[in-house]
Amino acid sequence: QVMWLNFVIGARINPSTELKRYTCVLFSSMGKAIFRFLAKLFDVSPATTYQWICKTVKTFGEPVVAEGIQEIEITDVAFPTLKNKWIIKALDRNTRRTIAWVVGGRDAATVEDYTARAQEHLSEYFYTDDWDAFAKVLPAEWHVIEKKHTTSIEQDNSNTCHHLGRMTRRTKIVSQSEKMISLSIGLWHALTTQENFIKYQNKFISI
C-alpha cells in the first residue's frame, strides 16, 4: 500500500511540495497531461493534483476586467472532445481579453447563466452570430447580430483549442466534467496574464 504525504512545517508549506504544486499547475495549464500522470510524476495522489489545480484557480479569482468596456464579442464554442458541453465566452473587443465564460448545454439557459455572472456588462454593445439563444436573452437594444463582428473571439477560441490538448481531439486528457472544463479555461486565461505567468515561470526556473 502506498501512502502520499504532504509535510507542513509550522504554518509553512514544505518548499518541495510548493515547487511540485507550481510545476503541476504549469503542466496542467497546457492541457497536455492528465492528473494521474502528474500524480505519478510528483509522487502524490491524483486527488492531491486535483486539489492543487482547484485551489490555484480559486486564488486567481475572476478575470480582471478593464474599466470602460464598450464592446463585447460573445460566441458559443463546441470542442470535438466535449460531448454535449458548450462554452459561452465573452471577450472585450478593445483588450481582446476574455472577461467571462460559462460551461453548459447549447441553449438559452447557458446564456442566462452568463448574464447572471456578468451583470455589470449588460449595458455594452454585444456582437454575436445569429444563434437564436443570444437573441432570446441579450438586451435587444445592445445586441448586434453578424458573424463578421466576432472575428476576435473566434481567433481567441482557436488559440484556446490550440494550447489546451483536452480541447482538441478525443484523447485520455479529456474530462467531461463541467468543472474541469472551466478550470482548464481558468488556468489558461490566468497564465496568459503576464504577472501571473512570471510568478510561475520564476518558480519553475529555480528548479
Side-chain angles (χ1 to χ4, degrees), residues 47-65:
T48 296
T49 59
Y50 177 74
Q51 290 170 3
W52 284 345
I53 302 304
C54 289
K55 289 180 179 178
T56 300
V57 173
K58 188 176 181 179
T59 63
F60 287 139
E62 295 294 319
V64 176
V65 180

Side-chain angles (χ1 to χ4, degrees), residues 83-102:
K83 185 178 180 181
N84 299 322
K85 298 289 191 304
W86 288 72
I87 302 167
I88 305 297
K89 290 176 64 180
L91 177 136
D92 175 3
R93 296 189 88 190
N94 182 44
T95 63
R96 295 200 172 193
R97 296 290 297 171
T98 300
I99 62 174
W101 64 86
V102 293

Side-chain angles (χ1 to χ4, degrees), residues 99-110:
I99 62 174
W101 64 86
V102 293
V103 182
R106 192 171 192 259
D107 49 37
T110 304

